[in-house]
Amino acid sequence: MLVDGKWMENWQPVQAKDKDGRFVRQQSSFRNWITEDGSAGPTGDAGFKAEAGRYHLYVALICPWASRTLMARKLKKLDDVISVDVVEPVLTEQGWKFGDFPGAGRDRLNGVTFMHEIYTHADPHYTGRATVPVLFDKQRNTIVNNESADIVRMLNSSFGAFAGESLDLYPADLASQIDALNEHIYHTLNNGVYKAGFASSQQAYEEACIAVFKTLDELENRLGSDGPFLFGECLTESDIRLFVTLVRFDAAYHGLFKCNLRRIADYPRLSDYMKRILAIDGIAATVNMQHIKAGYYSIKALNPNGIVPLGPA
Ligand SMILES: N[C@@H](CCC(=O)N[C@@H](CS)C(=O)NCC(=O)O)C(=O)O
C-alpha cells in the first residue's frame, strides 16, 4: 500500500482485521461526483460535469467492485463516452500492474506501469491501498472517485444526455428498497465472501460463511416469486451487485474463500438468473473467467504456491 505517497516495500496483499480476526475493508477516499451541471454531488467537491470523452475508468476484470462499474457502463451504453483501461489480473508486489496479459492492456491515458502511480499522480501524499475501480478526469487530471457504489450511481444518473440507453438502475420509487437490499447483499455476500476468505479465526470464518449461504437461500426463494430480476421486471443496481458475486462464486469463492456449503450451480433459480443477466447485450464482455481464476488464486496469503484449479468444468 501507499504511505504518504511512497509504496511500501515487501507489500503483501494481507487485509486488515479486527481483534476477533474479522476482515475489515478499507474506506474509499476519493468521493467526488460527476453531475449533469458540474455542481457538487452527495460527497466531495463540485467541478466534475458530465461530458463525453472527459472521463476514464481503470478496472481489473478479476474485481467484482470494478466489474460493477463496467456493467453499468455497458447497460447505459456509455462505451463511446467513457474510456476504459484494464490492469493485469495478478496482484504484484507493487499492486495492480498494466501489461500484456490477454484481456488486459497498457495505461493509454497516463502511461504508468502500476495503479498506485495513478493515486500518487492525483495525490502525492496519498496513504492507503491503490484499489480499482478508479474514475479519472482527463480534464482536471485527477481521480474523481474510487468507490464503485458511487460510480455506478453517477453513471446511471448523470450522463442522461450521452447514455445510449434510458434504463434506470435506481428508480426513485424503488430507491429505499434498493438501498436496503444493497446493504444486505453487501454485508453478507459481496463483502461476506471476503470476510469468509480472509477470516483469521474459525469463529470469524463460520460467522461469515453461514451468512453467505443464508442470503443465497433467501435470494433463491425471492427469485422464485418475484423474478426475472430482484425487483421484478426492472433490472436495478441491486442486480449488478448480486451478479458480480454470483459469477465469481463457483470459480473462486467456493474453493479459495472456503464458501463451500453449496455452489451457485446447486441453486436452480440463481443459476438461471445469472445466465439471464449474462445474456444481456454487452454483459458477457465484462466477465473474464481467465482473469477471475488467475487473479484470485494469485493471492499468496491464501494460496502460497499459486496453483490454479482446473475446474469448475
Ligand atoms: N470500496 C471499493 C473496494 C474496491 C476494492 O477493494 N478493490 C480491490 C480489488 S477486488 C483492490 O483493488 N484491491 C487492491 C488492494 O487491496 O490493494 C469499491 O467498491 O470500489
Side-chain angles (χ1 to χ4, degrees):
M1 63 180 278
L2 286 163
V3 177
D4 193 21
K6 303 256 169 346
W7 188 259
M8 269 175 62
E9 295 266 324
N10 301 323
W11 176 85
Q12 288 291 320
V14 177
Q15 305 284 345
K17 57 185 176 192
D18 73 7
K19 65 173 182 27
D20 296 319
R22 293 189 190 90
F23 163 74
V24 179
R25 185 171 292 280
Q26 171 186 282
Q27 296 291 318
S28 302
S29 42
F30 291 90
R31 303 298 293 270
N32 300 309
W33 288 70
I34 299 171
T35 56
E36 269 182 3
D37 59 0
S39 57
T43 53
D45 300 328
F48 300 95
K49 185 178 186 307
E51 286 173 58
R54 175 168 167 182
Y55 300 98
H56 188 77
L57 258 181
Y58 286 112
V59 297
L61 299 180
I62 167 206
C63 173
W65 320 99
S67 296
R68 292 171 168 186
T69 67
L70 274 184
M71 279 181 79
R73 173 177 172 270
K74 280 288 178 197
L75 290 167
K76 297 294 287 186
K77 297 206 174 8
L78 286 166
D79 303 46
D80 297 334
V81 177
I82 297 170
S83 48
V84 175
D85 275 325
V86 178
V87 296
E88 294 190 321
V90 174
L91 262 179
T92 72
E93 296 258 304
Q94 293 205 52
W96 298 120
K97 180 178 169 292
F98 296 94
D100 299 326
F101 190 99
R106 304 278 158 171
D107 171 17
R108 291 167 301 167
L109 188 61
N110 291 295
V112 304
T113 306
F114 296 102
M115 198 59 214
H116 68 76
E117 297 172 85
I118 298 297
Y119 277 78
T120 47
H121 182 86
D123 174 3
H125 297 287
Y126 180 79
T127 292
R129 311 180 80 90
T131 57
V132 286
V134 161
L135 184 60
F136 193 90
D137 180 0
K138 301 175 191 174
Q139 194 177 61
R140 292 180 60 173
N141 202 16
T142 194
I143 295 175
V144 181
N145 194 304
N146 70 336
E147 171 50 50
S148 60
D150 294 353
I151 298 172
V152 166
R153 211 157 270 188
M154 66 184 92
L155 296 191
N156 181 56
S157 60
S158 305
F159 285 87
F162 309 101
E165 173 60 61
S166 59
L167 162 85
D168 187 358
L169 298 167
Y170 189 58
D173 58 332
L174 291 175
S176 59
Q177 292 176 65
I178 291 175
D179 287 342
L181 187 59
N182 284 353
E183 196 62 12
H184 182 53
I185 290 178
Y186 174 79
H187 289 294
T188 58
L189 207 53
N190 301 141
N191 203 34
V193 292
Y194 282 81
K195 288 188 213 165
F198 287 101
S200 52
S201 72
Q202 183 70 28
Q203 183 204 339
Y205 157 72
E206 287 185 16
E207 199 176 275
C209 186
I210 288 167
V212 163
F213 286 95
K214 186 165 174 284
T215 297
L216 288 175
D217 292 350
E218 278 166 23
L219 293 171
E220 174 79 0
N221 284 333
R222 179 182 178 123
L223 284 169
S225 48
D226 291 354
F229 302 115
L230 290 168
F231 288 97
E233 292 303 321
C234 159
L235 184 141
T236 67
E237 55 175 53
S238 300
D239 294 297
I240 295 182
R241 285 164 171 250
L242 176 56
F243 175 80
V244 294
T245 295
L246 293 183
V247 84
R248 286 162 176 74
F249 201 95
D250 292 357
Y253 307 146
H254 183 269
L256 188 72
F257 283 5
K258 306 188 190 82
C259 291
N260 61 0
L261 290 176
R262 287 176 283 287
R263 301 165 306 159
I264 300 306
D266 300 320
Y267 287 96
R269 290 168 185 157
L270 283 170
S271 296
D272 283 352
Y273 166 83
M274 191 174 79
K275 288 177 200 149
R276 196 176 303 132
I277 295 184
L278 203 50
I280 297 173
D281 190 24
I283 296 304
T286 70
V287 180
N288 185 319
M289 275 302 156
Q290 214 193 337
H291 279 233
I292 291 171
K293 286 178 64 172
Y296 278 105
Y297 284 94
S298 75
I299 303 175
K300 281 212 172 56
L302 301 182
N303 189 28
N305 292 323
I307 293 169
V308 182
L310 293 176

